[in-house]
Amino acid sequence: MLGKKRSAQYEVDVVLEDMERNGTHPRVLVQIPMYNEREVYKLSIGAVCGLSWPQEKIVVQVLDDSTDKTIKKNVMAECKKYQDQGLNIKYENRANRNGYKAGALREGLQKQYVNECEYVVIFDADFQPEFDFLKKTITYLVANENLGMVQARWKFGTAGVWRIRAIRDAGGWKERTTVEDMDLAVRASLQGWKFVFVGDVSVKNELPSTFKAYRFQQHRWSCGPANLFKKMTREIMLCPRVSIWKKIHLVYGFFFVRKIIAHWVTFIFYCVVIPACVLVPEVTFPKALAIYIPATITLLNTGGTPRSLHLLVFWILFENVMSLHRTKAAIIGLLEASRVNEWIVTEKLGNTNNQINKSKVWFFRSRFRCGERIHKLELVMGIFMFYCALYNMSYCNDHMFIYLFLQSGAFFTIAFGFVGTFV
């Protein structure tokens, strides 16, 4: 982005200095929702308990929905360890998983001791914030009463700091979709609360450890927004507190274009229209439309990550494959089909992946059942695009077969399970 960052418009240095000098730190609640997190619970709890903030002004709330008795016992023991060190850490376990993550966060805010807290920070189980995270984020909320949330930069996920009053003003956490954070943010925005993105504050967390886990995650992130679009369009358009331009931006720009049409256009154009046009030579389309304009847009989108420029071609091919699943997920969300509220927790490995040697990885690979590794949709698309590539190479002279061979290779690579780890 050109020009001054929005976060730089807020005067926070003076506020931080005043808090440090006078000891006026606000009371903060830190929530860590988790479910059967065997490998990462120590990392997240340890990182949160190491945050630089006065001990008497911070409450750590471990919201453990685990059903595995051994994991529950271990998480409780970890919390007890920090309690013995004088930290105010609460272990909360529910008898059910009603509402999944949103339900756990909602019930956590209903505890009596939370009434003394003004702000809440939410870290997923694999998040490991830096020790000065609170100092770099809470100050924005303290200095600006109209701010409802501060969002840190993604490393492989996101981390947000909420004003508790903004959460309650928006109606609290709801479990009507699988993107509970987006749902809350939109409702808070309709209530007039503002948000700020702090790009120079980042939180370390973990990428999905397997391709299967990544597919489930992408299904949730594509199905949820489409379903939320269906449920909130009327609410947004009838909201008297926001301008017509903001309504159009939310309904058309944010939801319809970015969360639905973007997936459909990518899949239909690159995986259906271009290959089909190869089989029907009478149908022609300008190369600028097929190559130059999309390539320019892609380069602009990757301008913020120049270190990954050498992976650009692989990223485009992989995203085209994933557009198949995102398109299907968006349709499921709009139609509210059977998998609309499917919630499968993304499996995490923590440091375990670094401790597995190559011989063990090969052992696990060899025992992996063939049926679990072959993905039929990708296989069908790979065969279709490979046939189109052969046809183009034999009967046409526009060299489109280069792209088609590469894209079919990407589909085959994923179809036979040669992506991610198997542990």
Side-chain angles (χ1 to χ4, degrees), residues 66 120 138 175 225 290 313 317 323 329 373 376 381 383:
S66 297
V120 57
I138 294 291
E175 62 267 20
V313 173
L317 296 174
S323 67
R373 291 190 59 173
K376 297 178 181 178
M381 289 300 304
I383 294 173

Side-chain angles (χ1 to χ4, degrees), residues 238-307:
L238 296 180
C239 180
R241 301 180 185 87
V242 297
S243 67
I244 185 63
W245 300 114
K246 185 173 183 178
K247 294 176 182 179
I248 294 174
H249 167 71
L250 278 174
V251 173
Y252 179 76
F254 180 75
F255 277 115
F256 186 66
V257 174
R258 294 180 59 187
K259 304 302 181 182
I260 299 175
I261 294 299
H263 305 320
W264 295 1
V265 169
T266 300
F267 173 68
I268 294 174
F269 185 74
Y270 288 104
C271 301
V272 178
V273 173
I274 291 181
C277 288
V278 167
L279 299 179
V280 186
E282 292 79 12
V283 178
T284 60
F285 52 89
K287 286 191 176 181
L289 180 65
I291 301 174
Y292 303 133
I293 294 178
T296 302
I297 295 174
T298 301
L299 288 172
L300 291 174
N301 287 333
T302 58
T305 55
R307 290 180 299 177

Side-chain angles (χ1 to χ4, degrees), residues 78-93:
E78 191 70 10
C79 293
K80 181 65 166 56
K81 181 180 75 173
Y82 287 101
Q83 287 173 352
D84 294 341
Q85 297 176 13
L87 276 76
N88 190 357
I89 180 170
K90 311 286 187 180
Y91 175 83
E92 305 289 352
N93 180 261

Side-chain angles (χ1 to χ4, degrees), residues 33-41 66 71 75 125 345-346 348:
M34 59 177 62
Y35 172 71
N36 289 340
E37 301 292 356
R38 186 184 303 274
E39 306 295 347
V40 298
Y41 70 92
S66 297
I71 296 177
V75 176
V345 176
T346 304
K348 305 172 185 71

Side-chain angles (χ1 to χ4, degrees), residues 110-182:
Q110 294 172 353
K111 302 299 179 182
Q112 185 67 32
Y113 56 82
V114 174
N115 293 334
E116 302 176 6
C117 301
E118 188 175 354
Y119 308 106
V120 57
V121 189
I122 302 162
F123 296 116
D124 283 346
D126 58 320
F127 279 39
Q128 300 170 50
E130 298 292 337
F131 74 97
D132 57 350
F133 177 85
L134 294 180
K135 292 183 178 180
K136 291 182 176 180
T137 54
I138 294 291
T139 46
Y140 285 92
L141 295 169
V142 174
N144 304 274
E145 284 294 324
N146 63 339
L147 279 182
M149 190 263 286
V150 176
Q151 180 176 312
R153 181 172 67 86
W154 293 34
K155 274 199 173 178
F156 307 121
T158 185
V161 184
W162 277 92
R163 190 185 301 274
I164 294 180
R165 183 157 54 91
I167 294 177
R168 290 173 175 160
D169 192 32
W173 294 99
K174 296 183 179 180
E175 62 267 20
R176 57 181 176 176
T177 72
T178 57
V179 283
E180 71 291 328
D181 48 355
M182 182 184 295

